[in-house]
Amino acid sequence: MSLEIAYAAMGGDLETVRGRLLTDERIEKFAKIFLQDTSMQTLESALEAGDFAEAYRGAHTLKGVSRDLGFTPLFNAAAELSTALKLDDAGVPADLARVPELMPAVRDAYTLVVDSVAII
């Protein structure tokens, strides 16, 4: 499958990534490396354990990686979750009550990206 088809399937921003990474080979390489990234697993297990600092780290990492690779839907969902999980000086997430409503969008976008990248 071509990068164009994969990025279209996930609603990604291939042109911006091309401007940043310059070659399709490099984009493909880093997109496939994303499949080995453990940020989503970190996020899920940290939330389950109530470790909000680690959950924030997982969400924030997903946000950054997905921004850099042009995975737009995942970036948007992870950015919103990251904002909700950002800890104040007392270590309390900014909007913990929203996390359960935000996680399905993150999971769906993550699955879409993984499925799209897996068939490049």
Side-chain angles (χ1 to χ4, degrees):
M1 173 185 269
S2 73
L3 283 174
E4 288 87 0
I5 294 170
Y7 271 76
M10 74 173 84
D13 184 2
L14 180 58
E15 291 312 309
T16 298
V17 178
R18 280 181 169 149
R20 186 177 304 118
L21 296 180
L22 305 178
T23 68
D24 285 0
E25 292 78 21
R26 200 177 273 165
I27 295 167
E28 184 176 333
K29 172 186 171 184
F30 286 108
K32 287 182 177 179
I33 289 172
F34 176 79
L35 298 178
Q36 300 167 17
D37 182 84
T38 60
S39 300
M40 185 66 184
Q41 292 78 15
T42 296
L43 170 62
E44 296 267 20
S45 61
L47 283 175
E48 190 173 302
D51 184 346
F52 300 121
E54 191 68 6
Y56 172 76
R57 188 179 72 78
H60 193 264
T61 301
L62 272 177
K63 178 180 86 167
V65 171
S66 60
R67 179 203 60 223
D68 292 346
L69 292 173
F71 301 157
T72 307
L74 181 56
F75 167 73
N76 292 335
E80 199 169 351
L81 180 63
S82 180
T83 299
L85 286 170
K86 185 170 179 153
L87 303 178
D88 64 16
D89 292 338
V92 177
D95 197 355
L96 188 57
R98 287 199 65 219
V99 171
E101 76 184 52
L102 296 172
M103 278 304 294
V106 173
R107 285 186 193 106
D108 290 348
Y110 178 81
T111 299
L112 181 59
V113 167
V114 168
D115 290 350
S116 297
V117 170
I119 55 177
I120 291 177

